Amino acid sequence: MSADLWLAFAAASAIMLMIPGPTVLIVVSYALGHGRKSAMATVAGVALGDFTAMTASMLGLGVLLSTSAALFTLLKWAGAAYLLYLGIKLWRAPVRDAEAVADDSDVKPWRMMLHTYAVTALNPKSIVFFVAFLPQFLDTGRPLAGQMVVMEATFLVLATLNAAGYALLASAARRAVRTPSVQRTVNRVGGSLLMGAGLLTVAWKRTA
């Protein structure tokens, strides 16, 4: 893979990743609720989810999704239902006082990782996007397998750094949301955004 193509792919990927989506929303929500302790779990979930989506795309699932309306619809509804579930759960989450917010002994990192993984991997839009996005940067005059490995590794590193950045910024802002009224507002705004993302997933149509 030439340096020019790699730089173009890295730049396009970085821009795309910085645009907030369902994955960023759940990373930020956990960081606001649990602080830096959540960062490692949610970042791991993002990395594994993106790895699953990209690998599935490269193995042909993306092509199948772009041609099979039934499979696409199934994954779309599954992803949307999960986002709606998380949004409702966050909306209804109880608020805590400053001492309780500071005490995160009840955090289960593996559950945060699984939630983040599911939101990232169960997004058919991501899989179809990878199928449309990756070929734009492939040099057909060279072996494709090596180029795909480089692109996947590059994207995963950028996705991990992006998720870590959002998590750390949100955890730093956590000190400002320790009052119950602000916590309630944050929970409801975050829950509404997650539910909105779920509804947008349902409304999103397959590209022809």
Side-chain angles (χ1 to χ4, degrees):
M1 188 176 190
S2 68
D4 290 344
L5 272 179
W6 180 81
L7 286 172
F9 172 77
S13 297
I15 293 171
M16 188 273 290
L17 285 166
M18 285 189 293
I19 300 172
T23 297
V24 169
L25 290 176
I26 192 169
V27 168
V28 170
S29 296
Y30 274 127
L32 287 174
H34 303 292
R36 291 189 178 184
K37 273 181 100 170
S38 72
M40 185 174 295
T42 55
V43 169
V46 170
L48 289 173
D50 278 327
F51 175 77
T52 300
M54 290 192 77
T55 302
S57 299
M58 292 177 181
L59 293 178
L61 179 57
V63 176
L64 183 59
L65 281 176
S66 66
T67 57
S68 172
L71 181 57
F72 181 88
T73 301
L74 177 64
L75 281 181
K76 181 173 71 172
W77 280 99
Y82 196 66
L83 285 172
L84 288 171
Y85 162 75
L86 291 175
I88 293 171
K89 186 176 180 180
L90 181 58
W91 176 281
R92 299 176 62 184
V95 298
R96 299 175 291 176
D97 57 25
E99 289 74 16
V101 172
D103 179 14
D104 289 326
S105 58
D106 62 336
V107 173
K108 295 181 176 62
W110 64 270
R111 294 195 66 176
M112 290 189 283
M113 184 185 74
L114 287 179
H115 285 172
T116 311
Y117 170 81
V119 168
T120 306
L122 280 178
N123 187 353
K125 183 178 179 181
S126 295
I127 299 176
V128 174
F129 172 79
F130 286 136
V131 170
F133 182 65
L134 297 181
Q136 309 303 319
F137 301 93
L138 290 173
D139 184 350
T140 55
R142 299 184 180 186
L144 298 181
Q147 296 182 67
M148 289 182 176
V149 170
V150 170
M151 292 166 74
E152 182 162 6
T154 300
F155 189 90
L156 290 177
V157 169
L158 292 173
T160 300
L161 293 174
N162 182 70
Y166 271 109
L168 292 176
L169 285 173
S171 63
R174 184 171 174 252
R175 297 176 181 176
V177 298
R178 291 192 173 185
T179 60
S181 60
V182 176
Q183 285 182 59
R184 187 177 295 108
T185 299
V186 169
N187 287 347
R188 292 184 174 178
V189 170
S192 298
L193 290 173
L194 284 172
M195 287 186 281
L199 295 175
L200 286 175
T201 299
V202 172
W204 189 69
K205 298 180 180 179
R206 285 193 310 140
T207 55

